[in-house]
Amino acid sequence: MTEDVEMSDAQSDEAEVEDVLAEGDIYRFWMSATHNPTLDSEDVDDESDQEAPDWGTKNERNSGLAVGHNGISVVLRGSNVGIFRETTDGKLELGGTVKGVKGPAKNARVFNPSKMMLHEQDRSLVLMNPDNLHSLYRMDLETGKVVDEWKLNDNVAINAMTPVEKLAQLTGEQTLLGTSHNAIFRVDPRVSEQNKLVESDMKQYVTKNKFSSLVTTERGHIAVGSEKGDIRLFDALGKNAKTMLPALGDAIRGIDVTKDGRWLIATCKTYLLLVDTQIGTGKNAGSSGFTKSFPADAKPKPKKLQLRPEHVAFMGAKIDFSPAKFNTGLDAKETAIITSNGPFVIAWNFSKVKKGILDSYDVKRYTGNVVEDNFSFGNDKDIIVTLQDDVLMLPKRQLTKVGGRKSLNQPATERKSHSNIVNAPF
């Protein structure tokens, strides 16, 4: 299906590190991880012959994934954090588990993080506590303990966060960006004040804009999506948006951008929107919609990515896409867009999409629903997939070019496998 849509401007007492790593060893494990995602050319599938480690309680489900730059991935499961690494033979290995996440105060209660972000060269993990959205919590990955609570503002409840630049995670950068329902702001843990939200670096709106997601380019330009469905592009924090792409009627549940900011992918429940942010005509031709406004007669027309009707019918459920992402890396070129729907991992060829070939995609089916997926950092060949009870690394070549219902019919776990899947509730 091809469609262009016109848009306009403007519960333990303390956290403990389990089994594989002793407390204090997480950092040594973390930095010793090697990143060599290339697999042999043999045909491999995705069910492991390896016995899966036990992560603890089976009453909870995996809820989030963060992919690091040193071959590390972190998975949320209730109040627990699981740490994985990519091995040199293209598998995933459970390196350690932090149980019973809680704040640094002596009387702090265990909480289930709702969102997380790797930070400071993957030495820290920043966590959001759904029971206290007026603070962020920093876990020191050397010890596996939450060591800081960054109070924000009693009037600001954070709902999303992102690095100040696309690849700031690779550096020692300490600040980060966040949104509330009507504000975009910087968090700086170095400030002496009790509140770490920088008031001078905040853009707040009087109306309830229902901001829901944000992302940055490698130059620090900012894109913000909302539950209303609109998207704002900023060249800097604290200023008015240079471009506003109004709503099509559906909420934006996730947003990503290429490193250079040229292309933006926004996820709605049943479709994705790919936007070219480069201005094509007028006095600002060649400029970015992050830095200049589009002329009235040259508004961007996003490409709408949807599943074909016969695939929707076969999947037997309503479409409910997870936030789509580009592959990324320090020197990597964006070549693919990945998302999921129920038990299906779905990847579009970015080059084809840019040429207008929108209904050609690859699919992989699992027996369980996909919680979140993302490319391994620095390549487009391997995909980290988090299921409700499993974590695995999938070679992208195992995705199937779908041409009809038959190619979607066989779940991945029905076939013999040589690659690694960690069936490890923790």
Side-chain angles (χ1 to χ4, degrees):
M1 181 177 296
T2 302
E3 184 174 349
D4 283 348
V5 184
E6 184 174 306
M7 304 179 94
S8 65
D9 294 340
Q11 286 160 319
S12 69
D13 291 335
E14 62 182 3
E16 59 178 313
V17 181
E18 290 275 312
D19 299 331
V20 183
L21 297 178
E23 185 174 326
D25 288 341
I26 287 186
Y27 179 66
R28 288 190 288 277
F29 157 78
W30 198 258
M31 297 306 293
S32 67
T34 55
H35 188 132
N36 185 4
T38 303
L39 295 180
D40 295 333
S41 59
E42 63 177 332
D43 181 32
V44 295
D45 255 313
D46 49 297
E47 188 178 357
S48 180
D49 300 323
Q50 176 179 316
E51 183 178 353
D54 185 2
W55 289 12
T57 177
K58 296 178 174 60
N59 296 325
E60 296 171 316
R61 296 292 180 262
N62 296 336
S63 60
L65 168 69
V67 176
H69 74 280
N70 276 324
I72 296 296
S73 294
V74 181
V75 176
L76 291 178
R77 187 182 182 90
S79 64
N80 307 323
V81 174
I83 304 167
F84 295 82
R85 69 174 176 183
E86 301 169 26
T87 64
T88 55
D89 57 352
K91 298 179 180 180
L92 281 182
E93 177 180 87
L94 177 62
T97 303
V98 178
K99 286 198 167 187
V101 172
K102 64 176 184 177
K106 290 184 178 181
N107 60 347
R109 301 178 63 180
V110 171
F111 67 89
N112 296 358
S114 56
K115 293 183 181 181
M116 63 178 167
M117 186 184 82
L118 285 164
H119 192 51
E120 296 178 306
Q121 298 177 314
D122 295 349
R123 290 184 172 91
S124 299
L125 186 68
V126 182
L127 302 164
M128 289 174 54
N129 180 356
D131 299 322
N132 179 17
L133 293 175
H134 303 288
S135 292
L136 290 173
Y137 298 82
R138 183 180 74 87
M139 176 181 288
D140 180 351
L141 289 172
E142 292 187 18
T143 64
K145 292 182 179 292
V146 174
V147 295
D148 292 314
E149 177 182 352
W150 299 335
K151 294 185 179 180
L152 304 178
N153 184 308
D154 290 340
N155 298 316
V156 175
I158 190 169
N159 59 17
M161 57 186 171
T162 198
V164 294
E165 296 174 354
K166 182 77 171 179
L167 299 178
Q169 172 187 339
L170 279 64
T171 74
E173 174 64 47
Q174 295 186 49
T175 69
L176 57 92
L177 303 184
T179 57
S180 68
H181 69 89
N182 70 334
I184 311 159
F185 50 84
R186 185 186 307 276
V187 178
D188 188 348
R190 302 168 301 180
V191 299
S192 58
E193 289 82 3
Q194 181 180 16
N195 291 343
K196 307 305 181 182
L197 186 153
V198 183
E199 300 283 350
S200 60
D201 272 350
M202 180 169 66
K203 176 65 179 178
Q204 191 165 23
Y205 294 81
V206 176
T207 57
K208 293 183 178 180
N209 290 313
K210 295 186 176 181
F211 295 143
S212 58
S213 56
L214 81 163
V215 69
T216 51
T217 72
E218 63 183 352
R219 298 183 63 183
H221 299 153
I222 308 163
V224 181
S226 81
E227 292 178 9
K228 293 182 178 180
D230 53 45
I231 300 171
R232 288 173 169 82
L233 307 182
F234 300 83
D235 65 340
L237 193 60
K239 298 182 180 180
N240 291 329
K242 294 295 183 180
T243 298
M244 176 166 173
L245 311 176
L248 296 176
D250 295 299
I252 303 297
R253 55 173 52 186
I255 196 167
D256 198 13
V257 68
T258 55
K259 287 185 296 184
D260 63 2
R262 172 69 185 270
W263 296 92
L264 182 150
I265 189 77
T267 306
C268 298
K269 184 175 182 178
T270 60
Y271 57 88
L272 312 179
L273 292 173
L274 183 70
V275 181
D276 184 352
T277 67
Q278 182 170 289
I279 300 170
T281 63
K283 66 178 183 179
N284 296 324
S287 297
S288 169
F290 283 97
T291 59
K292 302 288 183 180
S293 295
F294 281 86
D297 59 348
K299 301 166 185 176
K301 295 181 179 180
K303 301 179 186 298
K304 191 173 185 179
L305 309 185
Q306 295 176 290
L307 300 179
R308 285 184 259 172
E310 63 267 28
H311 296 152
V312 174
F314 176 77
M315 288 180 181
K318 294 181 180 180
I319 301 303
D320 191 8
F321 283 135
S322 64
K325 299 177 180 71
F326 294 105
N327 63 292
T328 193
L330 187 60
D331 301 311
K333 180 179 180 181
E334 294 89 353
T335 60
I337 300 166
I338 190 171
T339 184
S340 64
N341 178 60
F344 299 93
V345 173
I346 306 154
W348 274 266
N349 183 301
F350 186 32
S351 297
K352 289 185 177 181
V353 171
K354 288 188 286 186
K355 295 175 182 178
I357 306 172
L358 308 185
D359 61 350
S360 178
Y361 44 81
D362 300 334
V363 174
K364 188 75 168 181
R365 181 184 180 184
Y366 294 93
T367 53
N369 286 340
V370 178
V371 173
E372 192 169 351
D373 51 4
N374 201 350
F375 287 99
S376 174
F377 186 87
N379 83 96
D380 62 352
K381 301 297 190 295
D382 298 297
I383 302 167
I384 310 300
V385 182
T386 301
L387 308 177
Q388 291 181 332
D389 289 306
D390 305 331
V391 185
L392 60 100
M393 184 157 70
L394 165 71
K396 182 171 171 281
R397 68 173 183 264
Q398 291 187 25
L399 271 69
T400 302
K401 181 71 67 177
V402 293
R405 292 176 53 168
K406 186 176 180 180
S407 59
L408 295 177
N409 192 43
Q410 190 179 21
T413 55
E414 292 178 3
R415 297 187 292 275
K416 180 64 177 174
S417 142
H418 299 283
S419 70
N420 188 61
I421 179 170
V422 180
N423 185 353
F426 67 101

